[in-house]
Amino acid sequence: MQLIVFAVGRMKKGPERELTGRYADRLDKAGPAVGLTWGGVTEIAESRAATGEQRKTEEAGPCLALGAERGTALIALDETGKSLTSNDFATRLSDMRDHGTRRLVLAIGGPDGHAPAVRDRADLTLSLGRMTWPHQIVRILLAEQLYRAVTILSGHPYHRS
């Protein structure tokens, strides 16, 4: 199953990008052994629309288009979503993979969050905590958890339960 991160907001050069890249590289190397491949990041600029609802709607279009392909699942990251342990997250990924999901899009919304259409389409709304995080930090956390999921599924000692 191919893993793709969709993100509203551009990641600039710097330590956040480097750390995200480090986990993505680890995922890219270790993932194929457990049937998970790294598909990269699709990022769009934040909308400049006048209202939050308009911005969310504009930002939703490319996300929904990416998730429209047959065999694609969508996880929307949102503070109101379900909080999972790392082991539970790894299990969710393996269940999706084992039930024929070919591609998984993990969507990081903009400052206004996700449009209702994205949350409605999502197979899972996932929370990394009830606090609001900048998208750069969310990318780091998500990349690390994807790599951690791969190590859990492969029995690697990186994760200690």
Side-chain angles (χ1 to χ4, degrees):
M1 178 172 72
Q2 184 181 48
L3 305 172
I4 298 170
V5 172
F6 171 85
V8 177
R10 305 241 187 244
M11 180 77 95
K12 296 179 176 92
K13 289 184 181 179
E16 298 90 351
R17 185 182 193 118
E18 291 172 19
L19 187 54
T20 302
R22 185 179 312 156
Y23 286 117
D25 287 344
R26 291 178 183 181
L27 171 61
D28 192 36
K29 291 176 181 147
V34 295
L36 300 174
T37 60
W38 177 237
V41 177
T42 298
E43 59 182 15
I44 64 167
E46 293 176 24
S47 169
R48 300 269 188 230
T51 70
E53 288 307 311
Q54 289 172 330
R55 287 188 293 272
K56 290 190 290 188
T57 299
E58 283 183 15
E59 294 163 355
C63 179
L64 293 170
L66 195 58
E69 184 178 315
R70 188 169 185 202
T72 299
L74 174 66
I75 293 178
L77 279 81
D78 188 279
E79 65 195 25
T80 65
K82 185 173 179 126
S83 183
L84 300 175
T85 67
S86 295
N87 284 321
D88 290 340
F89 182 59
T91 299
R92 288 283 183 113
L93 294 180
S94 68
D95 287 348
M96 288 178 175
R97 176 201 62 204
D98 295 348
H99 288 98
T101 301
R102 293 191 312 254
R103 185 166 79 158
L104 173 61
V105 176
L106 299 112
I108 302 169
D112 300 299
H114 288 294
V118 172
R119 288 194 305 274
D120 291 345
R121 161 61 182 87
D123 298 280
L124 171 65
T125 303
L126 179 66
S127 173
L128 297 177
R130 299 208 46 207
M131 295 179 177
T132 301
W133 299 100
H135 75 91
Q136 298 93 333
I137 293 175
V138 172
R139 287 199 207 190
I140 295 167
L141 296 172
L142 182 57
E144 193 281 336
Q145 284 300 302
L146 289 169
Y147 171 66
R148 183 175 295 273
V150 165
T151 64
I152 289 168
L153 296 174
S154 68
H156 188 280
Y158 178 79
H159 179 76
R160 297 184 183 122
S161 296

